[in-house]
Amino acid sequence: MQAAIYVRVSTEDQARHGYSLAEQRDACYRRAVSLGAASILEFADEGVSGALLDRPGLNALREAVREGRVDVIVVRDPDRLSRKLAHQLLLTEEFEKAGVRLDFLDFTWQDTPEGKLFYSIRGAIAEFEKEKIRERMTRGKTQKAKQGGIPIGFYNYGYSYDPETETVSVLEEEAAVVKNIFQWFIEEDLGVNGVAKRLNEQGIPTRKRKNLWHRMVVRQILTNPAYKGLWRYKGIDIPVPAIIEPHTWDKAQEKLREARRLWAGKSQQDYLLSGLVTCADCGNTMTGVYAKWWGVKDRRYTCRKSSQGARNRGCIPIKMILAAPVEAVVWEQVCSWLQDPECLVTAALEASPQAEEVRCELQRIERHLKEVEKGRVAILDAMAAGLLELDAQTKNKLGELKRRKERLEQRQRELAAALQGIEGAAGKLAEFRALAQEVLAKLDELNFAEKKALVRALVTQVIVSGRVSPGKQGLNGVNVTVLARIPEPGKSGNITII
Ligand SMILES: [Zn+2]
């Protein structure tokens, strides 16, 4: 490494501070050596004002930098280079552009107002330069793309790209695989998963040659317009050599859309009764699962909770009920209620607790709430009197009381709403009857989400008891009870969307 040291002392410095050139020189030499300099060039200006840029020593240093004889310049502080900030910035920029590192001895200089100004302006200039370069590059790339050039590295399976000539050409071996992927997908109805599986089975290497073909990669290939000859870069279509006929590519898109549509209809995630089913045997809610059970993969409801923290793990042996027949039973019930609204109201009143029971429960909660509040006041009084400190224990106690209060208030709200529902049930009958007429007329046109909303509007709970013998289909041995709810048009929002 070639180091250069630059030292400067003005006549004034020498006279006023007694600074000597020798002192500066020694310090700079020591630093250059500690930086690992193989050779050290020395440039000095003695008794020359720092306000001038034209100094013999400085001129020689700049010349050496231009000639590439210097890797690092050691200076006590930027003030040595120049008294003027503008000159400091000019020189440091010049040196850095030449690939020369500047090393300032005086670390405290950067904390002086001059130092702070120097660094913040340098930072701003650097940021400005970077932004300018970035902007120029983006503009260049977009310009290139508009002219049909390849603005950035084009690395797509099936092609080779030469960054030097910026040309794209077809890699025949990989292009054949791309053609197969499209053909299998369109003509053999394999699906994205099936295509990935076949590629892996045939041992066709991926570009990285170690990973397996993943369905995402297959999907990316099927949707990449580059294969029909148009590569899209920031909204600009750039022509590249085509591997697939445009109409074949379009067919694949159509098929992908179709698959999405089909899937949306009978998705593994679509459970008409999610959140509504309870297992009468273990008390757990039953959730939808799409799983293999006795060799058959299907949608089912199960009371098994596999999560670690579950208090109740569900029935043993594991209970799985086919979703479709349970949903059919519930849907039939919902339809019959729509045809006979009185029947629903009767069922709802049967299912909900009697008004008197709810009132008793509400009174009990009010008493509880008063007790909780009393406890809280007692603690606060004790603290105010200095009998109790706000330590961890007290904080815990207060927190616990607050949570209890919140729970009780929540329950209070629920019960009040239930009481209102019971008392207003008869009054809602007329409203519901009109609504039922409306819904019945459109019943066959309802989509899954609307059906689900309708079920939720009329059913509070579905209780399933018993189990199906393993391997048997249908609902033999299972009892399904559907509990009614009196819908609240407008209020619940559920049924009004239909
Ligand atoms: Zn169960």
Side-chain angles (χ1 to χ4, degrees), residues 236-250:
I236 302 163
D237 282 330
I238 302 160
V240 291
I243 292 176
I244 300 294
E245 291 291 325
H247 74 269
T248 309
W249 191 86
D250 291 342

Side-chain angles (χ1 to χ4, degrees), residues 13 65 87 154 275 308 351 416 444 456:
D13 280 337
V65 168
H87 290 168
F154 179 88
Q308 278 305 308
D444 293 333
R456 266 166 180 61

Side-chain angles (χ1 to χ4, degrees), residues 279-284 286 303-304 314-315 319:
C279 171
D281 302 317
C282 68
N284 267 351
M286 297 184 82
C303 53
R304 171 59 50 99
C315 286
K319 182 162 156 182

Side-chain angles (χ1 to χ4, degrees), residues 2-39:
Q2 312 287 317
I5 66 171
Y6 176 76
V7 288
R8 179 181 70 81
V9 193
S10 63
T11 334
E12 199 186 306
D13 280 337
Q14 284 170 317
R16 198 192 287 172
H17 305 292
Y19 286 149
S20 78
L21 211 57
E23 226 177 332
Q24 252 186 71
R25 185 184 287 130
D26 280 356
C28 289
Y29 262 103
R30 276 199 299 276
R31 170 62 66 85
V33 170
S34 78
L35 288 173
S39 68

